[in-house]
mmCIF file of all heavy atoms in Angstrom:
data_model
loop_
_atom_site.group_PDB
_atom_site.id
_atom_site.type_symbol
_atom_site.label_atom_id
_atom_site.label_comp_id
_atom_site.label_asym_id
_atom_site.label_seq_id
_atom_site.Cartn_x
_atom_site.Cartn_y
_atom_site.Cartn_z
ATOM 1 N N LYS A 243 113.464 105.918 31.456
ATOM 2 C CA LYS A 243 114.226 107.052 31.892
ATOM 3 C C LYS A 243 113.428 107.893 32.835
ATOM 4 O O LYS A 243 113.990 108.363 33.879
ATOM 5 C CB LYS A 243 114.677 107.887 30.715
ATOM 6 C CG LYS A 243 115.701 108.941 31.040
ATOM 7 C CD LYS A 243 116.227 109.690 29.766
ATOM 8 C CE LYS A 243 117.247 110.715 30.132
ATOM 9 N NZ LYS A 243 117.751 111.375 28.894
ATOM 10 N N LYS A 244 112.170 108.116 32.578
ATOM 11 C CA LYS A 244 111.266 108.890 33.465
ATOM 12 C C LYS A 244 111.026 108.190 34.797
ATOM 13 O O LYS A 244 110.827 108.766 35.819
ATOM 14 C CB LYS A 244 109.969 109.223 32.766
ATOM 15 C CG LYS A 244 110.088 110.133 31.560
ATOM 16 C CD LYS A 244 108.740 110.581 31.064
ATOM 17 C CE LYS A 244 107.975 109.395 30.501
ATOM 18 N NZ LYS A 244 106.664 109.777 29.943
ATOM 19 N N GLU A 245 111.016 106.811 34.717
ATOM 20 C CA GLU A 245 110.696 105.989 35.881
ATOM 21 C C GLU A 245 111.903 105.596 36.711
ATOM 22 O O GLU A 245 111.792 104.821 37.652
ATOM 23 C CB GLU A 245 109.950 104.719 35.427
ATOM 24 C CG GLU A 245 108.497 104.933 35.202
ATOM 25 C CD GLU A 245 107.747 105.185 36.484
ATOM 26 O OE1 GLU A 245 107.857 104.397 37.452
ATOM 27 O OE2 GLU A 245 107.012 106.172 36.543
ATOM 28 N N ASN A 246 113.079 106.091 36.346
ATOM 29 C CA ASN A 246 114.325 105.721 37.050
ATOM 30 C C ASN A 246 114.499 104.175 37.051
ATOM 31 O O ASN A 246 114.855 103.537 38.020
ATOM 32 C CB ASN A 246 114.328 106.222 38.502
ATOM 33 C CG ASN A 246 114.459 107.725 38.608
ATOM 34 O OD1 ASN A 246 115.255 108.334 37.881
ATOM 35 N ND2 ASN A 246 113.657 108.344 39.443
ATOM 36 N N ALA A 247 114.244 103.587 35.891
ATOM 37 C CA ALA A 247 114.345 102.168 35.724
ATOM 38 C C ALA A 247 115.411 101.897 34.633
ATOM 39 O O ALA A 247 115.865 102.747 33.890
ATOM 40 C CB ALA A 247 113.002 101.571 35.314
ATOM 41 N N GLU A 248 115.831 100.625 34.555
ATOM 42 C CA GLU A 248 116.835 100.177 33.617
ATOM 43 C C GLU A 248 116.173 99.404 32.482
ATOM 44 O O GLU A 248 115.009 98.926 32.597
ATOM 45 C CB GLU A 248 117.861 99.296 34.265
ATOM 46 C CG GLU A 248 118.613 99.970 35.436
ATOM 47 C CD GLU A 248 119.680 100.954 34.958
ATOM 48 O OE1 GLU A 248 120.000 100.876 33.766
ATOM 49 O OE2 GLU A 248 120.145 101.728 35.773
ATOM 50 N N VAL A 249 116.870 99.262 31.352
ATOM 51 C CA VAL A 249 116.347 98.524 30.167
ATOM 52 C C VAL A 249 117.420 97.538 29.713
ATOM 53 O O VAL A 249 118.576 97.898 29.557
ATOM 54 C CB VAL A 249 115.964 99.524 29.075
ATOM 55 C CG1 VAL A 249 115.546 98.709 27.827
ATOM 56 C CG2 VAL A 249 114.838 100.433 29.472
ATOM 57 N N ILE A 250 116.965 96.320 29.453
ATOM 58 C CA ILE A 250 117.827 95.292 28.770
ATOM 59 C C ILE A 250 117.062 94.828 27.533
ATOM 60 O O ILE A 250 115.841 94.596 27.591
ATOM 61 C CB ILE A 250 118.088 94.133 29.683
ATOM 62 C CG1 ILE A 250 118.966 94.497 30.883
ATOM 63 C CG2 ILE A 250 118.713 92.949 28.940
ATOM 64 C CD1 ILE A 250 120.378 94.891 30.506
ATOM 65 N N ILE A 251 117.778 94.737 26.440
ATOM 66 C CA ILE A 251 117.149 94.292 25.208
ATOM 67 C C ILE A 251 117.635 92.851 24.863
ATOM 68 O O ILE A 251 118.816 92.602 24.839
ATOM 69 C CB ILE A 251 117.508 95.231 23.986
ATOM 70 C CG1 ILE A 251 117.065 96.654 24.364
ATOM 71 C CG2 ILE A 251 116.853 94.749 22.721
ATOM 72 C CD1 ILE A 251 117.695 97.723 23.447
ATOM 73 N N LEU A 252 116.685 91.951 24.660
ATOM 74 C CA LEU A 252 117.094 90.609 24.254
ATOM 75 C C LEU A 252 115.982 89.909 23.491
ATOM 76 O O LEU A 252 114.852 90.408 23.394
ATOM 77 C CB LEU A 252 117.396 89.770 25.518
ATOM 78 C CG LEU A 252 116.372 89.648 26.673
ATOM 79 C CD1 LEU A 252 115.272 88.676 26.317
ATOM 80 C CD2 LEU A 252 117.064 89.139 27.937
ATOM 81 N N CYS A 253 116.314 88.788 22.847
ATOM 82 C CA CYS A 253 115.362 87.959 22.131
ATOM 83 C C CYS A 253 115.262 86.644 22.948
ATOM 84 O O CYS A 253 116.202 85.844 22.919
ATOM 85 C CB CYS A 253 115.821 87.725 20.736
ATOM 86 S SG CYS A 253 114.818 86.547 19.801
ATOM 87 N N ALA A 254 114.165 86.483 23.642
ATOM 88 C CA ALA A 254 114.018 85.304 24.518
ATOM 89 C C ALA A 254 114.131 83.981 23.714
ATOM 90 O O ALA A 254 114.691 83.014 24.216
ATOM 91 C CB ALA A 254 112.666 85.404 25.282
ATOM 92 N N LYS A 255 113.568 84.017 22.517
ATOM 93 C CA LYS A 255 113.671 82.816 21.707
ATOM 94 C C LYS A 255 115.071 82.448 21.358
ATOM 95 O O LYS A 255 115.491 81.280 21.454
ATOM 96 C CB LYS A 255 112.819 83.041 20.406
ATOM 97 C CG LYS A 255 112.738 81.865 19.504
ATOM 98 C CD LYS A 255 111.929 82.225 18.247
ATOM 99 C CE LYS A 255 111.884 81.030 17.270
ATOM 100 N NZ LYS A 255 111.110 81.343 16.063
ATOM 101 N N LEU A 256 115.872 83.458 21.023
ATOM 102 C CA LEU A 256 117.310 83.210 20.740
ATOM 103 C C LEU A 256 118.069 82.799 21.978
ATOM 104 O O LEU A 256 118.949 81.908 21.940
ATOM 105 C CB LEU A 256 117.934 84.492 20.132
ATOM 106 C CG LEU A 256 119.457 84.455 19.937
ATOM 107 C CD1 LEU A 256 119.878 83.391 18.938
ATOM 108 C CD2 LEU A 256 119.950 85.826 19.478
ATOM 109 N N GLU A 257 117.683 83.399 23.134
ATOM 110 C CA GLU A 257 118.359 83.024 24.395
ATOM 111 C C GLU A 257 118.162 81.574 24.721
ATOM 112 O O GLU A 257 119.092 80.927 25.319
ATOM 113 C CB GLU A 257 117.885 83.922 25.519
ATOM 114 C CG GLU A 257 118.156 85.380 25.358
ATOM 115 C CD GLU A 257 119.649 85.724 25.242
ATOM 116 O OE1 GLU A 257 120.493 84.977 25.828
ATOM 117 O OE2 GLU A 257 120.027 86.737 24.633
ATOM 118 N N VAL A 258 116.982 81.045 24.448
ATOM 119 C CA VAL A 258 116.706 79.595 24.678
ATOM 120 C C VAL A 258 117.647 78.766 23.822
ATOM 121 O O VAL A 258 118.265 77.761 24.244
ATOM 122 C CB VAL A 258 115.261 79.264 24.389
ATOM 123 C CG1 VAL A 258 115.090 77.739 24.403
ATOM 124 C CG2 VAL A 258 114.326 79.850 25.433
ATOM 125 N N GLU A 259 117.757 79.146 22.514
ATOM 126 C CA GLU A 259 118.696 78.446 21.629
ATOM 127 C C GLU A 259 120.178 78.508 22.146
ATOM 128 O O GLU A 259 120.860 77.481 22.097
ATOM 129 C CB GLU A 259 118.645 79.057 20.255
ATOM 130 C CG GLU A 259 117.252 78.836 19.591
ATOM 131 C CD GLU A 259 117.105 79.568 18.239
ATOM 132 O OE1 GLU A 259 118.191 80.012 17.722
ATOM 133 O OE2 GLU A 259 116.020 79.720 17.711
ATOM 134 N N LEU A 260 120.545 79.660 22.594
ATOM 135 C CA LEU A 260 121.921 79.797 23.113
ATOM 136 C C LEU A 260 122.132 78.942 24.351
ATOM 137 O O LEU A 260 123.231 78.360 24.522
ATOM 138 C CB LEU A 260 122.237 81.273 23.425
ATOM 139 C CG LEU A 260 122.401 82.215 22.273
ATOM 140 C CD1 LEU A 260 122.364 83.655 22.754
ATOM 141 C CD2 LEU A 260 123.730 81.913 21.551
ATOM 142 N N SER A 261 121.141 78.846 25.217
ATOM 143 C CA SER A 261 121.259 78.119 26.485
ATOM 144 C C SER A 261 121.321 76.635 26.217
ATOM 145 O O SER A 261 121.831 75.860 27.050
ATOM 146 C CB SER A 261 120.066 78.361 27.407
ATOM 147 O OG SER A 261 118.882 77.751 26.953
ATOM 148 N N GLU A 262 120.955 76.192 25.050
ATOM 149 C CA GLU A 262 120.938 74.753 24.718
ATOM 150 C C GLU A 262 122.208 74.297 23.969
ATOM 151 O O GLU A 262 122.420 73.143 23.670
ATOM 152 C CB GLU A 262 119.725 74.401 23.905
ATOM 153 C CG GLU A 262 118.400 74.543 24.703
ATOM 154 C CD GLU A 262 117.156 74.396 23.848
ATOM 155 O OE1 GLU A 262 117.276 74.433 22.592
ATOM 156 O OE2 GLU A 262 116.041 74.266 24.402
ATOM 157 N N ILE A 263 123.075 75.279 23.656
ATOM 158 C CA ILE A 263 124.314 75.009 22.922
ATOM 159 C C ILE A 263 125.523 75.182 23.915
ATOM 160 O O ILE A 263 125.657 76.160 24.576
ATOM 161 C CB ILE A 263 124.493 75.955 21.742
ATOM 162 C CG1 ILE A 263 123.327 75.867 20.793
ATOM 163 C CG2 ILE A 263 125.807 75.702 21.081
ATOM 164 C CD1 ILE A 263 123.331 76.915 19.698
ATOM 165 N N SER A 264 126.298 74.143 24.040
ATOM 166 C CA SER A 264 127.474 74.172 24.962
ATOM 167 C C SER A 264 128.461 75.198 24.512
ATOM 168 O O SER A 264 128.996 75.985 25.362
ATOM 169 C CB SER A 264 128.117 72.811 25.054
ATOM 170 O OG SER A 264 128.508 72.377 23.788
ATOM 171 N N ASP A 265 128.733 75.312 23.222
ATOM 172 C CA ASP A 265 129.722 76.274 22.739
ATOM 173 C C ASP A 265 128.924 77.497 22.168
ATOM 174 O O ASP A 265 128.987 77.780 20.985
ATOM 175 C CB ASP A 265 130.564 75.635 21.625
ATOM 176 C CG ASP A 265 131.666 76.612 21.175
ATOM 177 O OD1 ASP A 265 131.941 77.627 21.873
ATOM 178 O OD2 ASP A 265 132.183 76.396 20.033
ATOM 179 N N ASN A 266 128.263 78.237 23.076
ATOM 180 C CA ASN A 266 127.450 79.315 22.510
ATOM 181 C C ASN A 266 128.283 80.586 22.267
ATOM 182 O O ASN A 266 127.755 81.494 21.582
ATOM 183 C CB ASN A 266 126.301 79.701 23.453
ATOM 184 C CG ASN A 266 126.795 80.004 24.886
ATOM 185 O OD1 ASN A 266 127.903 80.491 25.085
ATOM 186 N ND2 ASN A 266 125.907 79.796 25.874
ATOM 187 N N GLU A 267 129.540 80.586 22.657
ATOM 188 C CA GLU A 267 130.399 81.749 22.349
ATOM 189 C C GLU A 267 130.659 81.879 20.841
ATOM 190 O O GLU A 267 130.702 82.949 20.291
ATOM 191 C CB GLU A 267 131.736 81.627 23.092
ATOM 192 C CG GLU A 267 131.618 81.788 24.638
ATOM 193 C CD GLU A 267 132.958 81.741 25.327
ATOM 194 O OE1 GLU A 267 134.000 81.648 24.576
ATOM 195 O OE2 GLU A 267 132.980 81.800 26.547
ATOM 196 N N THR A 268 130.730 80.740 20.179
ATOM 197 C CA THR A 268 130.973 80.775 18.725
ATOM 198 C C THR A 268 129.752 81.345 18.029
ATOM 199 O O THR A 268 129.862 82.137 17.127
ATOM 200 C CB THR A 268 131.234 79.340 18.246
ATOM 201 O OG1 THR A 268 132.364 78.794 18.859
ATOM 202 C CG2 THR A 268 131.427 79.313 16.703
ATOM 203 N N LEU A 269 128.539 80.903 18.479
ATOM 204 C CA LEU A 269 127.280 81.438 17.924
ATOM 205 C C LEU A 269 127.139 82.928 18.130
ATOM 206 O O LEU A 269 126.789 83.658 17.240
ATOM 207 C CB LEU A 269 126.082 80.657 18.462
ATOM 208 C CG LEU A 269 124.705 81.141 17.919
ATOM 209 C CD1 LEU A 269 124.654 81.084 16.404
ATOM 210 C CD2 LEU A 269 123.589 80.269 18.556
ATOM 211 N N LEU A 270 127.466 83.361 19.309
ATOM 212 C CA LEU A 270 127.428 84.808 19.648
ATOM 213 C C LEU A 270 128.372 85.559 18.783
ATOM 214 O O LEU A 270 128.028 86.646 18.240
ATOM 215 C CB LEU A 270 127.801 85.052 21.131
ATOM 216 C CG LEU A 270 126.726 84.719 22.210
ATOM 217 C CD1 LEU A 270 127.350 84.818 23.599
ATOM 218 C CD2 LEU A 270 125.584 85.679 22.080
ATOM 219 N N GLU A 271 129.559 85.009 18.540
ATOM 220 C CA GLU A 271 130.531 85.677 17.671
ATOM 221 C C GLU A 271 130.030 85.724 16.246
ATOM 222 O O GLU A 271 130.149 86.771 15.576
ATOM 223 C CB GLU A 271 131.864 84.909 17.708
ATOM 224 C CG GLU A 271 133.040 85.642 17.150
ATOM 225 C CD GLU A 271 134.322 84.883 17.391
ATOM 226 O OE1 GLU A 271 134.650 84.589 18.573
ATOM 227 O OE2 GLU A 271 135.051 84.593 16.363
ATOM 228 N N ASP A 272 129.446 84.687 15.782
ATOM 229 C CA ASP A 272 128.857 84.673 14.445
ATOM 230 C C ASP A 272 127.749 85.712 14.263
ATOM 231 O O ASP A 272 127.560 86.243 13.224
ATOM 232 C CB ASP A 272 128.274 83.241 14.065
ATOM 233 C CG ASP A 272 129.440 82.210 13.975
ATOM 234 O OD1 ASP A 272 130.586 82.627 13.794
ATOM 235 O OD2 ASP A 272 129.124 80.965 14.022
ATOM 236 N N LEU A 273 126.978 85.907 15.371
ATOM 237 C CA LEU A 273 125.908 86.849 15.313
ATOM 238 C C LEU A 273 126.384 88.281 15.518
ATOM 239 O O LEU A 273 125.605 89.251 15.332
ATOM 240 C CB LEU A 273 124.868 86.520 16.431
ATOM 241 C CG LEU A 273 124.042 85.273 16.241
ATOM 242 C CD1 LEU A 273 123.247 84.909 17.471
ATOM 243 C CD2 LEU A 273 123.096 85.427 15.044
ATOM 244 N N GLY A 274 127.657 88.434 15.892
ATOM 245 C CA GLY A 274 128.159 89.767 16.166
ATOM 246 C C GLY A 274 127.815 90.326 17.487
ATOM 247 O O GLY A 274 127.765 91.562 17.711
ATOM 248 N N LEU A 275 127.544 89.435 18.488
ATOM 249 C CA LEU A 275 127.200 89.862 19.843
ATOM 250 C C LEU A 275 128.323 89.575 20.770
ATOM 251 O O LEU A 275 128.970 88.533 20.733
ATOM 252 C CB LEU A 275 125.922 89.100 20.320
ATOM 253 C CG LEU A 275 124.644 89.289 19.469
ATOM 254 C CD1 LEU A 275 123.562 88.370 19.937
ATOM 255 C CD2 LEU A 275 124.208 90.775 19.549
ATOM 256 N N LYS A 276 128.647 90.515 21.671
ATOM 257 C CA LYS A 276 129.727 90.341 22.644
ATOM 258 C C LYS A 276 129.335 89.436 23.746
ATOM 259 O O LYS A 276 130.147 88.679 24.263
ATOM 260 C CB LYS A 276 130.140 91.714 23.181
ATOM 261 C CG LYS A 276 130.831 92.633 22.162
ATOM 262 C CD LYS A 276 131.246 93.938 22.777
ATOM 263 C CE LYS A 276 131.917 94.793 21.735
ATOM 264 N NZ LYS A 276 132.328 96.124 22.327
ATOM 265 N N GLU A 277 128.041 89.485 24.186
ATOM 266 C CA GLU A 277 127.567 88.624 25.288
ATOM 267 C C GLU A 277 126.070 88.417 25.094
ATOM 268 O O GLU A 277 125.421 89.197 24.402
ATOM 269 C CB GLU A 277 127.867 89.176 26.651
ATOM 270 C CG GLU A 277 127.265 90.524 26.926
ATOM 271 C CD GLU A 277 127.603 91.099 28.295
ATOM 272 O OE1 GLU A 277 128.002 90.247 29.172
ATOM 273 O OE2 GLU A 277 127.533 92.294 28.510
ATOM 274 N N SER A 278 125.570 87.390 25.739
ATOM 275 C CA SER A 278 124.146 87.138 25.575
ATOM 276 C C SER A 278 123.316 88.146 26.365
ATOM 277 O O SER A 278 123.792 88.813 27.287
ATOM 278 C CB SER A 278 123.813 85.724 26.074
ATOM 279 O OG SER A 278 123.897 85.658 27.491
ATOM 280 N N GLY A 279 122.022 88.289 25.975
ATOM 281 C CA GLY A 279 121.146 89.205 26.711
ATOM 282 C C GLY A 279 120.945 88.713 28.133
ATOM 283 O O GLY A 279 120.779 89.560 29.062
ATOM 284 N N LEU A 280 120.988 87.407 28.343
ATOM 285 C CA LEU A 280 120.808 86.883 29.725
ATOM 286 C C LEU A 280 121.985 87.249 30.595
ATOM 287 O O LEU A 280 121.770 87.559 31.811
ATOM 288 C CB LEU A 280 120.659 85.367 29.638
ATOM 289 C CG LEU A 280 119.442 84.865 28.886
ATOM 290 C CD1 LEU A 280 119.329 83.363 28.978
ATOM 291 C CD2 LEU A 280 118.178 85.480 29.472
ATOM 292 N N ASP A 281 123.180 87.230 30.037
ATOM 293 C CA ASP A 281 124.361 87.667 30.865
ATOM 294 C C ASP A 281 124.234 89.118 31.251
ATOM 295 O O ASP A 281 124.526 89.536 32.320
ATOM 296 C CB ASP A 281 125.636 87.451 30.113
ATOM 297 C CG ASP A 281 126.033 85.922 30.039
ATOM 298 O OD1 ASP A 281 125.445 85.153 30.839
ATOM 299 O OD2 ASP A 281 126.762 85.567 29.135
ATOM 300 N N LYS A 282 123.763 89.940 30.269
ATOM 301 C CA LYS A 282 123.532 91.346 30.579
ATOM 302 C C LYS A 282 122.502 91.541 31.654
ATOM 303 O O LYS A 282 122.672 92.399 32.529
ATOM 304 C CB LYS A 282 123.078 92.075 29.279
ATOM 305 C CG LYS A 282 124.112 92.185 28.228
ATOM 306 C CD LYS A 282 123.552 92.963 26.987
ATOM 307 C CE LYS A 282 124.546 93.056 25.862
ATOM 308 N NZ LYS A 282 123.932 93.715 24.671
#
Side-chain angles (χ1 to χ4, degrees):
K243 189 174 181 180
K244 293 189 295 183
E245 276 292 308
N246 290 318
E248 300 284 346
V249 176
I250 292 292
I251 303 166
L252 55 75
C253 173
K255 184 179 178 182
L256 175 62
E257 296 299 331
V258 170
E259 294 174 14
L260 287 169
S261 72
E262 292 171 348
I263 301 172
S264 56
D265 183 20
N266 57 27
E267 289 183 6
T268 301
L269 179 55
L270 282 171
E271 194 173 304
D272 291 342
L273 290 169
L275 299 172
K276 292 182 179 180
E277 60 181 339
S278 72
L280 296 181
D281 288 340
K282 291 179 182 178

